[in-house]
Amino acid sequence: MPSAAAPDMIDELAQALAELEGQGLKRRRRTVDTPPGARVRVDGRDYLSFCSNDYLGLADHPALIAAAQSAAAEAGVGAGSAHLVAGHHRLHEQLENELAAFVGLPAALLFSTGYMANIGAITALAGRGDAVFGDKLNHASLVDACLLSRAELTRYPHGDLAFLETKLKASSARTKLVLTDAVFSMDGDIAPLPELLALCERYDAWLLVDDAHGFGVLGAQGRGSLNHFNLRSDRIVYMATLGKAAGVFGAFVAGHPTVIDWLVNKVRTYIYTTATPPLLAAALSASLRVIAADDWRRARLQELGAQLKAGLAGLPWSSMNSATPIQPLLVGDNAAALRLAEALRERGILIPAIRPPTVPQGTARLRISLSAAHEPADVEQLLTVLRELA
Ligand SMILES: *Cc1c(COP(=O)(O)O)cnc(C)c1O
């Protein structure tokens, strides 16, 4: 039963929440009743959605659902323990081999989420006295991993290779680690990976590539950003997530077998956590087959992207230089971004307003995510409504 007078700490939180509300920064959740496709039912209403990272439209693909169902019947729904105890199922082992082969690296290790993979891999590779260098627009999980590692963190201005080189050159740390999103999650631009790798070679640093938004989308057959740039090096530690284009859940790190063996032995977010349900691994093996086979899904994304860009050209909001399915519409002011998202919602279109601290102050935006599940008519509908609102 609630007591009559809330403790002071509750009042303080309530006040802080009210301040967030006043700044247009309060967040709330909506409840979804459908898979994350082009059409979704949210809070009881039907929408055309541009919210999902399910870029290839695989989250409700029949082959993935069938694989998950038959694996559930055979392996149950839970792994029962951590990988190093008795939770490492044959389906996990098989998926790791398939993932490594798919991205062209010798070994891979599954993680529950991209967040856990980044936290784990970075803290296992760098510690006190080491130096970590990260792009200012890197994903929050990379930033948090650096802080947790206790290594010295240098954040370089977005894409500023000259700045990064100066800092790498000046560092006398024993271990240096450069971290980058391959596709920046809120801008959609692609990192200059060949140039970053060249710097890492010159200054003897590791390069950790977070391909959360490139895996499945970039490269031949969706093999990801290393394939896109034709990069290969034992100093690359590759991370990709499996809850976005792959349509399921999870993540993996791939690289030299010694690196992977080190991670198995050292990563706390791997060792001290329950293995993900084997049925997810089965769904992901099925997903890999669809990703590799269905070039039309990536071709569709290209077409929709070109159509959207052409249509946005005459509108008052600037689109950004993105060659990926992430197509942000820059608004600037938090309240204005929220108003635009709300006006679209009233007209049956769902697009998230992204505000600080997810993006820098003054760069609030609508983050339009395209999917192979969209039809050209869907993009036309969005453009028509945006023209009305402009
Ligand atoms: C989504 C994302 C992650 C986190 O992955 P999850 O599997 O959702 O935890 C990490 N890095 C980037 C760049 C991301 O966009």
Coordinates of all heavy atoms in Angstrom, one line a residue, residues 224-280:
G224 N 28.5 -7.4 -44.9 CA 28.9 -6.4 -43.9 C 29.9 -5.4 -44.4 O 30.4 -5.5 -45.6
S225 N 30.4 -4.5 -43.6 CA 31.2 -3.4 -44.0 C 32.6 -3.8 -44.3 O 33.3 -3.1 -45.1 CB 31.2 -2.3 -43.0 OG 31.5 -2.7 -41.7
L226 N 33.2 -4.9 -43.7 CA 34.5 -5.3 -44.1 C 34.5 -5.8 -45.5 O 35.4 -5.5 -46.3 CB 35.0 -6.4 -43.1 CG 35.1 -6.1 -41.6 CD1 35.8 -7.2 -40.9 CD2 35.9 -4.8 -41.4
N227 N 33.5 -6.5 -45.9 CA 33.3 -7.0 -47.3 C 33.1 -5.8 -48.2 O 33.7 -5.7 -49.3 CB 32.2 -8.0 -47.3 CG 32.0 -8.5 -48.8 OD1 31.5 -7.7 -49.6 ND2 32.3 -9.7 -49.0
H228 N 32.3 -4.8 -47.8 CA 32.1 -3.6 -48.6 C 33.4 -2.9 -48.9 O 33.5 -2.4 -50.1 CB 31.2 -2.7 -47.7 CG 31.0 -1.3 -48.3 ND1 30.0 -1.1 -49.3 CD2 31.5 -0.1 -48.0 CE1 30.0 0.2 -49.6 NE2 30.9 0.8 -48.8
F229 N 34.3 -2.8 -48.0 CA 35.6 -2.2 -48.3 C 36.7 -3.2 -48.6 O 37.8 -2.7 -48.8 CB 36.0 -1.4 -47.0 CG 35.3 -0.1 -46.8 CD1 34.5 0.0 -45.7 CD2 35.4 1.0 -47.7 CE1 33.8 1.2 -45.4 CE2 34.8 2.2 -47.4 CZ 34.0 2.3 -46.3
N230 N 36.4 -4.5 -48.6 CA 37.4 -5.5 -48.9 C 38.5 -5.4 -47.9 O 39.7 -5.4 -48.4 CB 37.8 -5.4 -50.4 CG 38.6 -6.6 -50.8 OD1 38.4 -7.7 -50.2 ND2 39.4 -6.5 -51.8
L231 N 38.2 -5.3 -46.7 CA 39.3 -5.1 -45.6 C 39.6 -6.5 -44.9 O 38.7 -7.3 -44.7 CB 38.8 -4.2 -44.6 CG 38.8 -2.7 -44.9 CD1 38.4 -1.9 -43.7 CD2 40.1 -2.2 -45.5
R232 N 40.8 -6.7 -44.6 CA 41.2 -7.9 -43.9 C 42.4 -7.5 -43.1 O 43.4 -7.0 -43.6 CB 41.6 -8.9 -45.0 CG 41.7 -10.3 -44.5 CD 41.8 -11.2 -45.8 NE 40.5 -11.4 -46.4 CZ 39.7 -12.4 -46.1 NH1 40.1 -13.3 -45.2 NH2 38.6 -12.6 -46.7
S233 N 42.4 -7.8 -41.8 CA 43.6 -7.6 -40.9 C 43.3 -8.3 -39.6 O 42.2 -8.3 -39.1 CB 43.7 -6.1 -40.7 OG 44.6 -5.9 -39.6
D234 N 44.4 -8.9 -39.1 CA 44.3 -9.5 -37.8 C 44.1 -8.5 -36.7 O 43.8 -8.9 -35.5 CB 45.6 -10.3 -37.5 CG 45.6 -11.6 -38.3 OD1 44.5 -12.0 -38.8 OD2 46.6 -12.3 -38.4
R235 N 44.3 -7.2 -36.9 CA 44.1 -6.2 -35.9 C 42.6 -5.7 -35.8 O 42.3 -4.9 -35.0 CB 45.1 -5.1 -35.9 CG 45.0 -4.2 -37.1 CD 46.1 -3.1 -37.1 NE 47.4 -3.6 -37.2 CZ 48.3 -3.5 -36.2 NH1 48.0 -2.9 -35.1 NH2 49.6 -3.9 -36.4
I236 N 41.8 -6.2 -36.7 CA 40.4 -5.9 -36.7 C 39.6 -6.8 -35.7 O 39.7 -8.0 -35.8 CB 39.7 -5.9 -38.1 CG1 40.3 -4.9 -39.0 CG2 38.2 -5.8 -38.0 CD1 39.8 -4.9 -40.4
V237 N 38.9 -6.2 -34.8 CA 37.9 -6.9 -34.0 C 36.6 -6.4 -34.5 O 36.2 -5.3 -34.4 CB 38.1 -6.6 -32.5 CG1 37.1 -7.4 -31.7 CG2 39.5 -7.0 -32.1
Y238 N 35.8 -7.4 -35.0 CA 34.6 -7.0 -35.7 C 33.4 -7.4 -34.8 O 33.4 -8.5 -34.2 CB 34.5 -7.8 -37.0 CG 33.2 -7.6 -37.8 CD1 33.1 -6.6 -38.7 CD2 32.2 -8.6 -37.7 CE1 31.9 -6.4 -39.4 CE2 31.0 -8.4 -38.5 CZ 30.9 -7.3 -39.3 OH 29.7 -7.2 -40.0
M239 N 32.4 -6.5 -34.7 CA 31.2 -6.8 -33.9 C 30.0 -6.4 -34.7 O 30.0 -5.4 -35.4 CB 31.2 -5.9 -32.6 CG 30.3 -6.3 -31.5 SD 28.5 -6.1 -31.8 CE 28.3 -4.3 -31.9
A240 N 29.1 -7.3 -34.8 CA 27.8 -7.0 -35.4 C 26.6 -7.5 -34.6 O 26.8 -8.4 -33.8 CB 27.7 -7.6 -36.8
T241 N 25.5 -6.8 -34.7 CA 24.3 -7.2 -34.0 C 23.4 -8.0 -34.8 O 23.4 -7.9 -36.1 CB 23.6 -6.0 -33.4 OG1 23.1 -5.2 -34.4 CG2 24.6 -5.1 -32.6
L242 N 22.6 -8.8 -34.2 CA 21.7 -9.7 -34.9 C 20.2 -9.4 -34.7 O 19.3 -10.2 -35.1 CB 22.0 -11.2 -34.5 CG 23.5 -11.6 -34.7 CD1 23.9 -12.9 -34.0 CD2 23.8 -11.7 -36.2
G243 N 19.9 -8.3 -34.1 CA 18.6 -7.9 -33.8 C 18.1 -6.8 -34.8 O 17.0 -6.3 -34.7
K244 N 19.0 -6.4 -35.7 CA 18.6 -5.4 -36.7 C 18.3 -6.1 -38.1 O 17.3 -6.7 -38.2 CB 19.7 -4.3 -36.7 CG 19.6 -3.5 -35.4 CD 20.7 -2.6 -35.1 CE 20.4 -1.9 -33.8 NZ 21.5 -1.4 -33.1
A245 N 19.3 -5.9 -39.0 CA 18.9 -6.5 -40.3 C 18.7 -8.0 -40.3 O 17.9 -8.6 -41.0 CB 20.1 -6.2 -41.3
A246 N 19.4 -8.7 -39.3 CA 19.2 -10.1 -39.2 C 17.8 -10.5 -38.7 O 17.4 -11.7 -38.8 CB 20.3 -10.8 -38.4
G247 N 17.1 -9.5 -38.1 CA 15.7 -9.7 -37.8 C 15.4 -10.5 -36.5 O 14.3 -10.8 -36.2
V248 N 16.5 -10.9 -35.7 CA 16.2 -11.8 -34.6 C 16.7 -11.1 -33.3 O 16.0 -10.2 -32.8 CB 16.9 -13.2 -34.7 CG1 16.4 -14.1 -33.6 CG2 16.4 -13.8 -36.1
F249 N 17.8 -11.5 -32.7 CA 18.3 -10.9 -31.5 C 19.7 -11.5 -31.3 O 20.0 -12.6 -31.7 CB 17.4 -11.5 -30.3 CG 17.7 -10.9 -29.0 CD1 17.3 -9.6 -28.7 CD2 18.3 -11.6 -28.0 CE1 17.5 -9.0 -27.4 CE2 18.6 -11.1 -26.7 CZ 18.2 -9.8 -26.5
G250 N 20.5 -10.7 -30.6 CA 21.9 -11.1 -30.3 C 22.9 -10.3 -31.0 O 22.6 -9.3 -31.6
A251 N 24.2 -10.8 -30.9 CA 25.3 -10.1 -31.5 C 26.5 -11.1 -31.5 O 26.4 -12.2 -30.9 CB 25.7 -8.9 -30.7
F252 N 27.5 -10.7 -32.3 CA 28.7 -11.6 -32.2 C 29.9 -10.7 -32.4 O 29.9 -9.6 -33.0 CB 28.7 -12.7 -33.3 CG 28.7 -12.2 -34.7 CD1 29.9 -12.3 -35.4 CD2 27.6 -11.7 -35.4 CE1 30.0 -11.8 -36.8 CE2 27.7 -11.3 -36.7 CZ 28.9 -11.3 -37.4
V253 N 31.1 -11.2 -32.0 CA 32.4 -10.6 -32.2 C 33.1 -11.6 -33.0 O 33.1 -12.8 -32.8 CB 33.1 -10.3 -30.9 CG1 34.5 -9.8 -31.1 CG2 32.3 -9.3 -30.1
A254 N 33.8 -11.2 -34.1 CA 34.6 -12.1 -34.9 C 36.0 -11.5 -35.1 O 36.2 -10.3 -35.1 CB 34.0 -12.3 -36.3
G255 N 37.0 -12.4 -35.3 CA 38.4 -12.0 -35.5 C 39.3 -13.1 -35.4 O 38.9 -14.3 -35.6
H256 N 40.6 -12.9 -35.1 CA 41.6 -13.9 -35.0 C 41.2 -14.9 -33.9 O 40.7 -14.5 -32.9 CB 42.9 -13.2 -34.7 CG 44.1 -14.1 -34.8 ND1 44.4 -15.1 -33.9 CD2 45.0 -14.3 -35.8 CE1 45.5 -15.7 -34.2 NE2 45.9 -15.3 -35.4
P257 N 41.5 -16.2 -34.1 CA 41.1 -17.2 -33.2 C 41.6 -16.9 -31.8 O 41.0 -17.3 -30.8 CB 41.6 -18.5 -33.7 CG 41.8 -18.2 -35.2 CD 42.0 -16.8 -35.4
T258 N 42.8 -16.4 -31.7 CA 43.4 -16.1 -30.4 C 42.7 -15.0 -29.7 O 42.5 -15.1 -28.4 CB 44.9 -15.7 -30.6 OG1 45.6 -16.7 -31.3 CG2 45.6 -15.4 -29.2
V259 N 42.2 -14.0 -30.4 CA 41.4 -13.0 -29.8 C 40.1 -13.6 -29.3 O 39.7 -13.3 -28.1 CB 41.0 -11.9 -30.9 CG1 40.0 -10.9 -30.3 CG2 42.3 -11.2 -31.3
I260 N 39.5 -14.4 -30.1 CA 38.2 -15.0 -29.6 C 38.4 -15.9 -28.4 O 37.6 -15.9 -27.5 CB 37.6 -15.9 -30.8 CG1 37.3 -14.9 -32.0 CG2 36.3 -16.6 -30.4 CD1 36.4 -13.7 -31.7
D261 N 39.5 -16.7 -28.4 CA 39.8 -17.5 -27.2 C 40.0 -16.6 -26.0 O 39.6 -17.0 -24.9 CB 41.1 -18.3 -27.5 CG 41.2 -19.6 -26.7 OD1 40.2 -19.9 -26.0 OD2 42.3 -20.1 -26.6
W262 N 40.7 -15.5 -26.2 CA 40.9 -14.6 -25.1 C 39.6 -14.1 -24.5 O 39.3 -14.0 -23.3 CB 41.8 -13.4 -25.6 CG 42.0 -12.3 -24.6 CD1 41.5 -11.0 -24.6 CD2 42.8 -12.3 -23.4 NE1 41.9 -10.3 -23.5 CE2 42.7 -11.1 -22.7 CE3 43.6 -13.3 -22.8 CZ2 43.4 -10.8 -21.6 CZ3 44.3 -13.0 -21.6 CH2 44.2 -11.8 -21.0
L263 N 38.7 -13.7 -25.5 CA 37.3 -13.2 -25.0 C 36.6 -14.3 -24.2 O 36.0 -14.0 -23.2 CB 36.5 -12.8 -26.2 CG 37.1 -11.6 -27.1 CD1 36.2 -11.2 -28.2 CD2 37.4 -10.4 -26.2
V264 N 36.6 -15.6 -24.7 CA 35.9 -16.6 -24.0 C 36.5 -16.7 -22.6 O 35.7 -17.0 -21.7 CB 36.2 -18.0 -24.8 CG1 35.7 -19.2 -23.9 CG2 35.5 -18.0 -26.1
N265 N 37.7 -16.5 -22.4 CA 38.3 -16.6 -21.1 C 38.2 -15.4 -20.2 O 38.3 -15.5 -19.0 CB 39.8 -16.9 -21.2 CG 40.0 -18.4 -21.6 OD1 40.0 -19.2 -20.7 ND2 40.1 -18.8 -22.8
K266 N 38.0 -14.2 -20.8 CA 38.1 -13.0 -20.0 C 36.8 -12.2 -19.9 O 36.7 -11.3 -19.0 CB 39.2 -12.1 -20.6 CG 40.6 -12.6 -20.3 CD 40.9 -12.4 -18.8 CE 42.2 -13.1 -18.4 NZ 42.4 -13.1 -17.0
V267 N 35.9 -12.3 -20.9 CA 34.8 -11.3 -21.0 C 33.7 -11.6 -19.9 O 33.1 -12.7 -19.9 CB 34.2 -11.3 -22.4 CG1 32.9 -10.6 -22.4 CG2 35.1 -10.8 -23.4
R268 N 33.5 -10.7 -19.1 CA 32.6 -10.9 -18.0 C 31.1 -10.9 -18.4 O 30.3 -11.7 -17.9 CB 32.8 -9.8 -16.9 CG 34.2 -9.9 -16.3 CD 34.5 -8.7 -15.4 NE 33.6 -8.6 -14.2 CZ 33.9 -9.2 -13.1 NH1 35.0 -10.0 -13.0 NH2 33.1 -9.1 -12.0
T269 N 30.8 -10.2 -19.5 CA 29.4 -10.2 -20.0 C 29.2 -11.4 -20.9 O 28.1 -11.6 -21.4 CB 29.1 -8.9 -20.9 OG1 30.0 -8.9 -22.0 CG2 29.2 -7.7 -20.1
Y270 N 30.2 -12.3 -21.0 CA 30.0 -13.6 -21.7 C 30.0 -14.7 -20.6 O 29.1 -15.6 -20.7 CB 31.2 -13.8 -22.7 CG 31.0 -15.1 -23.4 CD1 30.1 -15.2 -24.5 CD2 31.7 -16.3 -23.1 CE1 29.9 -16.4 -25.2 CE2 31.5 -17.5 -23.8 CZ 30.6 -17.5 -24.8 OH 30.4 -18.7 -25.5
I271 N 30.9 -14.6 -19.7 CA 31.1 -15.7 -18.7 C 29.9 -15.7 -17.7 O 29.5 -16.8 -17.3 CB 32.4 -15.5 -18.0 CG1 33.6 -15.6 -19.0 CG2 32.6 -16.5 -16.9 CD1 34.9 -15.2 -18.5
Y272 N 29.5 -14.5 -17.2 CA 28.6 -14.4 -16.1 C 27.2 -14.2 -16.5 O 26.4 -13.4 -15.9 CB 29.1 -13.4 -15.1 CG 30.4 -13.7 -14.5 CD1 31.5 -13.0 -14.9 CD2 30.6 -14.8 -13.7 CE1 32.8 -13.3 -14.4 CE2 31.8 -15.2 -13.2 CZ 32.9 -14.4 -13.6 OH 34.2 -14.8 -13.1
T273 N 26.8 -14.8 -17.7 CA 25.4 -14.6 -18.1 C 24.9 -15.8 -18.8 O 25.6 -16.6 -19.4 CB 25.3 -13.3 -19.0 OG1 24.0 -12.9 -19.2 CG2 25.9 -13.6 -20.4
T274 N 23.6 -16.0 -18.7 CA 23.0 -17.2 -19.3 C 23.0 -17.1 -20.8 O 22.8 -16.1 -21.4 CB 21.5 -17.3 -18.9 OG1 21.5 -17.3 -17.4 CG2 20.8 -18.6 -19.4
A275 N 23.4 -18.3 -21.5 CA 23.4 -18.3 -22.9 C 22.0 -18.0 -23.5 O 21.0 -18.3 -22.8 CB 23.8 -19.7 -23.4
T276 N 21.9 -17.4 -24.6 CA 20.6 -17.1 -25.2 C 19.9 -18.4 -25.7 O 20.6 -19.4 -25.9 CB 20.7 -16.1 -26.5 OG1 21.7 -16.7 -27.3 CG2 21.1 -14.8 -26.1
P277 N 18.6 -18.4 -25.7 CA 17.9 -19.6 -26.1 C 18.4 -20.1 -27.5 O 18.5 -19.4 -28.4 CB 16.4 -19.1 -26.3 CG 16.3 -18.0 -25.3 CD 17.7 -17.3 -25.4
P278 N 18.7 -21.4 -27.5 CA 19.2 -22.0 -28.8 C 18.2 -21.8 -30.0 O 18.7 -21.7 -31.1 CB 19.3 -23.5 -28.5 CG 19.4 -23.6 -27.0 CD 18.7 -22.4 -26.4
L279 N 16.9 -21.6 -29.7 CA 16.0 -21.4 -30.8 C 16.3 -20.1 -31.5 O 16.1 -20.0 -32.7 CB 14.5 -21.4 -30.3 CG 14.1 -20.3 -29.4 CD1 13.5 -19.1 -30.2 CD2 13.1 -20.8 -28.4
L280 N 16.9 -19.1 -30.8 CA 17.3 -17.9 -31.5 C 18.5 -18.2 -32.5 O 18.5 -17.6 -33.6 CB 17.8 -16.8 -30.5 CG 16.7 -16.4 -29.5 CD1 17.2 -15.3 -28.6 CD2 15.5 -15.9 -30.3

